[in-house]
């Protein structure tokens, strides 16, 4: 499609997908909100991002298929190189693979489908028996009015997955969506909608990668997760965007009575990131855990963090954030802990640790607390350190090179995140750390 953003482009996307009328109207309303909303006046510099130079929709040359052998050869080889089919065979209950603006492959194991778990592209789900459920939930947690790029997403979203887990159903193996960005100067706007019903549990894994081009690319996806009473969701992400990417993603969950939401995030790559997963603890005893690591290198400004809102009694949140910076990279961690007057005996603990790998990089921690309950127990801790020469000398005496010694120390620093990931993804994250450590050394 042409570059830029217009009503004609929005209408064309909706027509190609044969969407219901309500979705077209939603897109058009989002476009109006986008045009009326100013750019963010805080955080990283976004002046290098010009929407008029971005293609909102890039369609693969073939429709989505269920058999891996039917995926076009060049696309299949890209995902083979990333290890997606192998991971599916070894330890995943279902996989969705997106190439640019559309899913090219989607499959779920028969045993999981027999449990009543529905996992498919969100476009297919819009024409299934779940269309009413999608209508009720779509962009309710992240409305287009939330910020300018949420409105942009609402106007031009494409691809992504819909998951429904019925009551008291345990999905024994993770589901995964993998997003590959291959077109230069394009945007990717996938939408992931997950509803986990009462007493059920799910682990969902998101992977992202893209080659590097000399022009800006934009990722403005959206994740909405509904965690019902006594349900549990773990959402793991390993992002390996290229360093020409503007990653302006939005992730949000609402957790009902006794439910648990867990975010596990590894952020690598991208030129600029603005990403703040959020949990709304809406019922008594609801909880959230966040474990994340961010690695900023040369020409990277990674502005990340987490938000949690306590709306009910006896809710708890735990935030464990780690960041690394080298070669002049900039890390900023922002956290928001909000406790309403109704959230009696709420508890929240935040621990931010930064590891500086040279003298020219930057690390910032910007916490915000809005506490309206006098029975809340809130704590925040932050520290910044560096790799000591004594540690390097000791490891070199044991036969390691200096670069391998530094990489080993960094992997130990990020162990809290890697141990929360399945083995294959922990290995991928450790490989990304090793590559980052060896660049420019």
């Amino acid at each position: 499609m042409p570059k830029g953003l217009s009503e004609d482009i929005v209408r064309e996307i909706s027509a190609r997908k044969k969407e219901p009328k309500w979705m077209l109207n939603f897109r058009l309303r989002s476009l109006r909100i986008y045009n009326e909303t100013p750019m963010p006046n805080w955080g990283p510099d976004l002046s290098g991002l010009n929407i008029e130079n971005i293609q909102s929709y890039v369609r693969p040359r073939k429709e989505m298929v269920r058999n891996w052998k039917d995926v076009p050869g060049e696309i299949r080889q890209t995902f083979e190189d990333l290890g997606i089919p192998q991971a599916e065979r070894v330890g995943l209950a279902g996989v969705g693979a997106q190439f640019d603006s559309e899913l090219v492959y989607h499959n779920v194991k028969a045993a999981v489908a027999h449990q009543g778990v529905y996992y498919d592209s969100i476009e297919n789900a819009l024409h299934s028996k779940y269309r009413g459920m999608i209508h009720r939930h779509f962009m309710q947690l992240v409305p287009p009015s939330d910020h300018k790029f949420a409105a942009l997403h609402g106007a031009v979203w494409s691809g992504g997955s819909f998951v429904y887990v019925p009551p008291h159903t345990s999905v024994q193996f993770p589901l995964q969506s993998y997003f590959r960005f291959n077109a230069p100067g394009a945007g990717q706007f996938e939408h992931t909608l997950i509803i986990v019903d009462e007493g059920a549990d799910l682990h969902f894994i998101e992977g992202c990668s893209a080659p590097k081009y000399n022009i800006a690319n934009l990722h403005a996806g959206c994740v909405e997760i509904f965690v019902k009473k006594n349900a549990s969701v773990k959402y793991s992400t390993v992002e390996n965007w290229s360093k020409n990417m503007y990653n302006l993603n939005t992730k949000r969950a609402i957790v009902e009575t006794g439910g648990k939401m867990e975010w596990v995030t590894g952020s690598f790559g991208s030129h600029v990131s603005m990403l703040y997963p959020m949990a709304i603890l809406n019922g008594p005893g609801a909880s959230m855990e966040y474990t994340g690591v961010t690695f900023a290198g040369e020409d990277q400004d990674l502005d990340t963090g987490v938000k949690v809102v306590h709306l009910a009694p006896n809710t708890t949140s735990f935030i464990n954030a780690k960041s690394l910076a080298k070669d002049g990279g900039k890390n900023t961690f922002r956290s928001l802990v909000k406790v309403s007057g109704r959230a009696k005996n709420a508890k929240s603990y935040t621990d931010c640790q930064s590891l500086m790998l040279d003298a020219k990089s930057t690390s910032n921690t910007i916490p915000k607390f809005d506490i309206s309950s006098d029975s809340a127990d809130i704590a925040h801790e932050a520290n910044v350190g560096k790799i000591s020469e004594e540690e390097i000398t000791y490891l070199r005496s044991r036969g390691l090179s200096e670069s391998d010694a530094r990489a080993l120390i960094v992997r130990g620093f990020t162990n809290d995140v890697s141990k929360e990931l399945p083995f294959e993804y922990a290995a991928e994250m450790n490989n990304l750390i090793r590559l980052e450590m060896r660049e420019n050394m």
Side-chain angles (χ1 to χ4, degrees):
M1 282 191 179
K3 294 181 179 180
L5 184 62
S6 68
E7 183 174 322
D8 288 342
I9 289 175
V10 170
R11 288 183 178 276
E12 178 67 15
I13 293 173
S14 186
R16 288 191 183 191
K17 295 175 179 295
K18 300 181 175 61
E19 292 177 342
K21 182 70 173 178
W22 72 263
M23 182 59 80
L24 172 60
N25 292 336
F26 185 92
R27 289 182 183 275
L28 295 174
R29 180 168 66 88
S30 298
L31 178 63
R32 290 194 294 272
I33 294 172
Y34 172 81
N35 289 329
E36 296 167 358
T37 304
M39 290 286 283
N41 59 2
W42 56 275
D45 180 14
L46 300 178
S47 61
L49 177 63
N50 185 352
I51 298 300
E52 295 306 310
N53 293 331
I54 296 291
Q55 285 182 298
S56 301
Y57 184 84
V58 180
R59 182 176 178 174
R61 292 190 295 273
K62 192 169 182 178
E63 299 297 325
M64 189 187 79
V65 296
R66 306 287 182 183
N67 190 321
W68 185 249
K69 294 180 180 178
D70 294 331
V71 176
E74 71 278 10
I75 297 177
R76 187 171 67 246
Q77 188 59 50
T78 298
F79 283 107
E80 291 276 6
D81 293 342
L82 293 166
I84 305 308
Q86 180 181 2
E88 176 189 14
R89 290 190 290 267
V90 172
L92 296 175
V95 173
Q98 180 158 334
F99 199 84
D100 293 326
S101 297
E102 294 286 3
L103 279 121
V104 295
Y105 171 73
H106 219 291
N107 192 31
V108 63
K109 289 187 176 179
V112 176
H114 288 159
Q115 289 182 284
V117 177
Y118 184 89
Y119 176 45
D120 206 340
S121 72
I122 194 165
E123 285 94 343
N124 282 349
L126 271 172
H127 300 282
S128 73
K129 67 179 182 180
Y130 295 98
R131 57 186 177 273
M133 186 180 290
I134 294 174
H135 192 180
R136 292 191 300 274
H137 291 85
F138 187 85
M139 292 198 78
Q140 294 301 302
L141 291 182
V142 186
S145 57
D146 202 68
H147 56 82
K148 190 173 184 68
F149 292 96
L152 176 64
H153 175 91
V156 298
W157 74 270
S158 182
S161 296
F162 172 71
V163 180
Y164 174 70
V165 182
H168 310 291
T169 300
S170 178
V171 183
Q172 295 297 317
F173 296 97
L175 302 179
Q176 184 203 30
S177 283
Y178 202 96
F179 304 105
R180 175 67 176 179
F181 210 147
N182 234 53
Q188 192 172 68
F189 306 96
E190 82 286 345
H191 193 94
T192 301
L193 176 58
I194 298 174
I195 301 172
V196 179
D197 220 323
E198 182 175 344
D201 66 80
L202 172 70
H203 184 190
F204 193 90
I205 301 172
E206 175 189 75
C208 320
S209 69
K212 185 174 181 179
Y213 298 108
N214 58 4
I215 56 176
N217 278 26
L218 169 63
H219 178 239
C222 181
V223 176
E224 297 182 290
I225 304 176
F226 294 81
V227 185
K228 302 299 184 178
K229 182 179 179 181
N230 295 325
S232 175
V233 176
K234 183 176 182 178
Y235 195 97
S236 302
T237 305
V238 177
E239 295 185 339
N240 183 28
W241 295 119
S242 60
K243 294 179 182 177
N244 62 306
M245 180 73 73
Y246 286 80
N247 182 30
L248 311 177
N249 212 5
T250 307
K251 299 179 180 181
R252 196 162 296 167
I254 187 166
V255 189
E256 304 299 342
T257 299
K260 180 180 179 180
M261 181 68 218
E262 185 176 358
W263 302 103
V264 180
T265 301
S267 296
F268 304 84
S270 78
H271 174 54
V272 168
S273 276
M274 296 179 74
L275 175 59
Y276 320 97
M278 178 179 183
I280 302 165
L281 305 180
N282 198 47
S287 65
M288 183 210 77
E289 291 185 15
Y290 171 89
T291 306
V293 60
T294 303
F295 199 133
E298 183 179 8
D299 198 32
Q300 289 184 271
D301 188 347
L302 306 186
D303 199 300
T304 62
V306 64
K307 297 184 283 187
V308 58
V309 179
H310 294 253
L311 295 180
N314 302 311
T315 48
T316 59
S317 59
F318 176 77
I319 299 167
N320 179 20
K322 297 192 174 184
S323 63
L324 303 102
K326 68 186 260 296
D327 299 327
K330 181 179 180 181
N331 263 318
T332 301
F333 181 84
R334 301 177 193 268
S335 61
L336 167 66
V337 177
K338 182 177 176 66
V339 180
S340 78
R342 304 191 305 274
K344 303 300 182 184
N345 301 314
K347 294 180 173 60
S348 181
Y349 174 72
T350 303
D351 183 12
C352 300
Q353 298 181 44
S354 298
L355 185 62
M356 309 299 291
L357 303 179
D358 57 37
K360 61 181 180 179
S361 300
T362 305
S363 182
N364 303 302
T365 300
I366 306 176
K368 180 177 180 180
F369 300 93
D370 184 353
I371 313 300
S372 299
S373 171
D374 57 9
S375 62
D377 184 355
I378 311 297
H380 179 272
E381 180 180 353
N383 61 71
V384 180
K386 64 180 182 178
I387 296 176
S388 73
E389 292 305 317
E390 290 81 3
E391 291 173 325
I392 298 296
T393 301
Y394 172 76
L395 290 172
R396 292 191 68 182
S397 74
R398 309 302 292 177
L400 275 69
S401 67
E402 182 173 348
S403 62
D404 286 341
R406 291 181 180 275
L408 183 63
I409 293 169
V410 168
R411 286 201 299 273
F413 178 73
T414 60
N415 184 58
D416 288 352
V417 178
S418 61
K419 73 181 182 181
E420 295 294 333
L421 295 167
F423 174 78
E424 295 83 1
Y425 303 94
E428 178 187 355
M429 194 184 84
N430 286 332
N431 285 335
L432 290 172
I433 290 171
R434 177 176 53 81
L435 291 171
E436 289 285 348
M437 290 298 296
R438 288 186 175 178
E439 285 184 6
N440 301 324
M441 290 193 67

